[in-house]
Amino acid sequence: NADFVRGVTFSKNDRLDKETDNSVKIATTRASQNDGIKEEHLNIVDKKFVKNDEQYLKKNDILISLANSLHLVGRITFVNKLYYKTSFGAFMGCIRAKDNMINPILLNYFLKSSYAKEFFKTNANTTTNISNLNFKTIGKLKLPVPPIEIQNQIVEELDNYQKVIDKNLKMIKNTEEKINNKINSIWSN
């Protein structure tokens, strides 16, 4: 239901200070957060490191951290917006949903679930400080895949729940700011 794509390998010395006509942006674990790709943390390298077009991110791709500390391995980043050609580093993998087989947004919800997170932690190979996941292990994660029409209905319902969560998180943040502003105003008097 999905294809796996490996990231590009480059060293710290291969990073460029600024973009050129021959450069490409690279998402690493630092740039790939739960809530999207952080542009300010993208690396820039020569395009020669991207070996094939499959290594360029596409809308609805899902990045997964394959090598990191145990609490970060398996972290999922959904690619819902792309403003420029971007690839991803070797410690990342890309999960690309196959058209009309699985809704990529539903796949994202599945991979961010507590069930999947526990699967990643339990099945990661851990050495002293680093945990690793490979695509063979990720492929063993069994996901329920109802017909695409049902998947789309599930996504619509989950998106509505997410909107409620986002609205409440915004309200919490605003309330915390009001508390801090009140405390700061009292403190400064």
Side-chain angles (χ1 to χ4, degrees), residues 22-151:
N22 252 358
S23 67
V24 63
K25 293 185 178 192
I26 303 286
T28 59
T29 305
R30 183 174 183 220
S32 305
Q33 299 294 318
N34 286 325
D35 59 346
I37 295 174
K38 304 302 178 197
E39 184 177 0
E40 65 271 18
H41 297 303
L42 291 171
N43 287 287
I44 303 167
V45 298
D46 191 285
K47 286 181 185 174
K48 71 181 179 188
F49 293 101
V50 182
K51 302 297 182 203
N52 62 64
D53 283 346
E54 291 301 303
Q55 290 178 309
Y56 285 106
L57 290 174
K58 299 174 180 163
K59 186 177 184 338
N60 295 329
D61 278 351
I62 298 168
L63 286 172
I64 183 168
S65 177
L66 298 175
N68 215 308
S69 59
L70 187 58
H71 80 283
L72 289 178
V73 79
R75 181 170 65 196
I76 300 297
T77 305
F78 188 69
V79 180
N80 60 355
K81 294 178 194 152
L82 282 172
Y83 300 106
Y84 31 76
K85 267 196 162 183
T86 306
S87 188
F88 51 99
F91 296 141
M92 304 292 296
C94 175
I95 301 171
R96 190 166 285 151
K98 290 184 180 176
D99 287 340
N100 299 320
M101 293 187 79
I102 188 163
N103 182 312
I105 298 169
L106 182 60
L107 181 57
N108 177 54
Y109 278 121
F110 280 147
L111 294 173
K112 286 185 174 178
S113 70
S114 57
Y115 178 84
K117 287 178 185 177
E118 188 58 34
F119 176 88
F120 297 144
K121 282 184 181 177
T122 303
N123 290 281
N125 294 322
T126 302
T127 58
T128 310
N129 303 357
I130 298 292
S131 295
N132 293 284
L133 281 173
N134 59 47
F135 287 141
K136 186 176 180 182
T137 300
I138 295 168
K140 292 178 183 174
L141 177 63
K142 299 296 179 213
L143 304 173
V145 184
I148 197 75
E149 299 81 26
I150 303 295
Q151 292 179 43

Side-chain angles (χ1 to χ4, degrees), residues 149-173:
E149 299 81 26
I150 303 295
Q151 292 179 43
N152 294 339
Q153 291 171 2
I154 293 169
V155 165
E156 188 176 332
E157 184 178 350
L158 294 176
D159 280 348
N160 286 333
Y161 293 143
Q162 188 61 52
K163 286 176 187 169
V164 171
I165 290 169
D166 293 344
K167 183 178 177 184
N168 283 307
L169 287 172
K170 187 175 182 179
M171 189 172 63
I172 290 167
K173 185 178 178 190

